[in-house]
Amino acid sequence: MKDDAHTDAPRLTVIGTGYLGATHAICMAVLGFDVLGVDVDPAKIERLNSGEVPFFEPGLPELLAKALDSGRLRFSTSFAEAGEFGDVHFVCVGTPQQQGSDAADMRYVDSAVEELSRHLHRRALVVGKSTVPVGTAARLAEVVRRTAPAGADVELAWNPEFLREGYAVDDTLRPDRLVFGTESPWAEERLRAAFAPVIAQGTPVVVTDLPTAELVKVAANSFLATKISYINAMAEVCEATGADVTGLAEALAYDDRIGGRFLKPGLGFGGGCLPKDIRAFSHRAEELGVGQAVSFLREVDAINQRRRARTVDLVRELAGGELAGVRVTALGAAFKPNSDDIRDAPALDVARTLHQAGAVVTVIDPAATENARRAYPDLNYGTDVLTAAREADVVVLLTEWAEFREIEPDAMGAVVAHRRIVDGRHALDPAKWRAAGWEYRALGRP
């Protein structure tokens, strides 16, 4: 072990080097642990070993270079190597939504755990970090015991992740809490050792059983999704009454029982977590006979989807009631700023719907253009904001990147055909845009 880490520090493997896994592996190596990242995709492993992060995440490329230079981090496709190397194995593979169902697709988690277990010949701890349906951990604990050559000497624990894309480095190095779902004092001790530097800075640790640990992530995401959809439901009421949802949200935010975080009206949530997590949670609750308890999540999802259709309506209204041949500049493709993730991105959903209705759509995004182009090759893509906005009949802000917030209304006004803007994220100052002669519309605003 290297000199600045604890001599009894466990050696860590991270199975799966997607967004969660790569971030976890890199950050743990930077904290002083010896880490082996494992993935079945040789191209991904090659890129990581050569110092390239395969996705956009601020701060991570610099940490990858530092971790590789330290000699503490390397990547491999070999599960046998992982079994020999690791004392604590973190499983970080994806659980996407199943094709044609709301359920989580567990194929990747199951095969990762089975493949790893075959190579566990000594006492070790397997730790799930993936977001899974409650009950998965108990099932996988049985798989591990049955498959591992070391049998009952291998235990399973659950340690849910709470990463926010765009802030993943900070959320890994300085999380607001750690949750350890364990079945023995030994498993808890191993997890405490694997997070010693994080715990040493005063991070609260919640130790619980396996099902509770599995539920924490989906419960947290369900709460956040509900809060976002709540204020967007209020936006629908505001539109019908002439009230202004931004003033309403501001007044609610001063109530410390409610708070202002996630009380942000607009186009709603997307990405690879919130939408699929609340759907999988509803599906699992129904399987367990408690579907009624979380039936409100179906409405949370429906409110969120309606915001996309309503944004298209606003563009149509501004364009004079017809979209055919209307030139639209769409600012944003990623599901949120500081990310190149386009999974279930509201921005691209709106852009595609506008395109299907006959509009000529040009999309611009600081990080997600290449991902968007691969997924939606039929849209046009710009390289800079003012060129993309040339001769536009309507501009629509769909992802609240800082550089879009800072656009000068007059500078953009000089290149567009008509000064008409839909602010899908409540990110712009309406008074400033209207003063520059723009027709300004936003969800839930008169």
Side-chain angles (χ1 to χ4, degrees), residues 3 11-12 44 74 80 132 163 168 185 207 239 296 298 304 310 312 315 317 339 342 379 387 408 420 428:
D3 47 12
R11 298 203 299 187
L12 313 179
K44 207 183 273 184
R74 58 197 171 79
V132 296
L163 300 191
V207 181
E239 283 175 17
F296 69 93
R298 300 280 183 207
N304 191 56
R310 185 69 192 119
V312 172
V315 176
E317 285 168 29
S339 169
I342 60 161
L379 298 172
T387 310
E408 277 305 318
R420 301 188 284 221
L428 307 173

Side-chain angles (χ1 to χ4, degrees), residues 203-264:
T203 304
V205 179
V206 180
V207 181
T208 178
D209 50 55
L210 294 175
T212 307
E214 290 172 294
L215 276 171
V216 172
K217 177 63 190 274
V218 287
N221 276 355
S222 297
F223 192 90
L224 297 177
T226 301
K227 200 168 176 184
I228 296 165
S229 279
Y230 172 80
I231 198 62
N232 283 333
M234 294 304 104
E236 291 185 22
V237 175
C238 287
E239 283 175 17
T241 56
D244 187 335
V245 72
T246 48
L248 179 65
E250 185 186 358
L252 290 174
Y254 282 110
D255 186 329
D256 61 12
R257 296 167 303 175
I258 297 171
R261 295 193 64 196
F262 284 82
L263 210 62
K264 189 98 180 65

